[in-house]
Amino acid sequence: MVVYCDRKNSETSDFCIDFDNNFSDLRREIMCFNRNIKWDGMWNITEARKRLKNNWKLVIFKPQDKIKGWGWLNKNNKEICNIYVNSKHRNQGIGTKIVNSLHRHCQDWDRWWSQIDDWNIPSQKVFSKCNYKILI
């Protein structure tokens, strides 16, 4: 499913910070992700570095100074993707705050989008709460 959000319907948040270049902490949480979620499309540190060099934004949820969630924005094609919240922090509205934190970087555009797998009901709910509409 493809969803989109218009600037006029978006909310922004400062809840999540922009990535602070702590690659060792990011690597630790990627390993946690991979232990708990089996997803063939998971990116790694090499891909993260490449994305950051190629005009992508990464915001992180970092309680107690440890990364426990993230979200990516590809500024080249205006796509928000790879929203993740550590299982110990789920069902607290963190996913919504991550998406709204990414919206800080979208405010020069009229519209941006995301693609969500049909099976990913939690992600569909997050984007719905963030005022996204179904395109296809």
Side-chain angles (χ1 to χ4, degrees), residues 91-106:
N91 300 310
Q92 301 173 39
I94 305 299
T96 300
K97 291 176 181 177
I98 290 171
V99 171
N100 286 338
S101 293
L102 285 166
H103 289 169
R104 293 191 311 258
H105 302 288
C106 300

Side-chain angles (χ1 to χ4, degrees), residues 83-133:
I83 306 304
Y84 161 74
V85 179
N86 181 290
S87 61
K88 293 179 180 156
H89 297 273
R90 292 185 183 158
N91 300 310
Q92 301 173 39
I94 305 299
T96 300
K97 291 176 181 177
I98 290 171
V99 171
N100 286 338
S101 293
L102 285 166
H103 289 169
R104 293 191 311 258
H105 302 288
C106 300
Q107 295 303 300
D108 290 338
W109 307 325
D110 291 331
R111 179 178 282 181
W112 50 91
W113 65 284
S114 186
Q115 184 171 333
I116 307 168
D117 291 322
D118 291 337
W119 59 263
N120 196 339
I121 304 303
S123 189
Q124 292 174 28
K125 289 178 181 178
V126 164
F127 280 92
S128 178
K129 289 177 188 173
C130 293
N131 300 318
Y132 281 67
K133 306 291 183 232

Side-chain angles (χ1 to χ4, degrees), residues 45-98:
I45 288 296
T46 302
E47 176 66 18
R49 289 180 189 274
K50 185 194 297 186
R51 287 178 177 191
L52 291 166
K53 286 181 183 175
N54 288 307
N55 204 30
W56 288 55
K57 286 289 184 184
L58 174 62
V59 299
I60 54 175
F61 167 56
K62 197 170 184 178
Q64 292 87 42
D65 209 34
K66 297 233 184 256
I67 295 173
K68 295 295 179 181
W70 55 64
W72 284 98
L73 169 64
N74 180 344
K75 293 182 74 177
N76 301 300
N77 69 2
K78 304 177 185 175
E79 179 186 12
I80 288 178
C81 60
N82 302 137
I83 306 304
Y84 161 74
V85 179
N86 181 290
S87 61
K88 293 179 180 156
H89 297 273
R90 292 185 183 158
N91 300 310
Q92 301 173 39
I94 305 299
T96 300
K97 291 176 181 177
I98 290 171

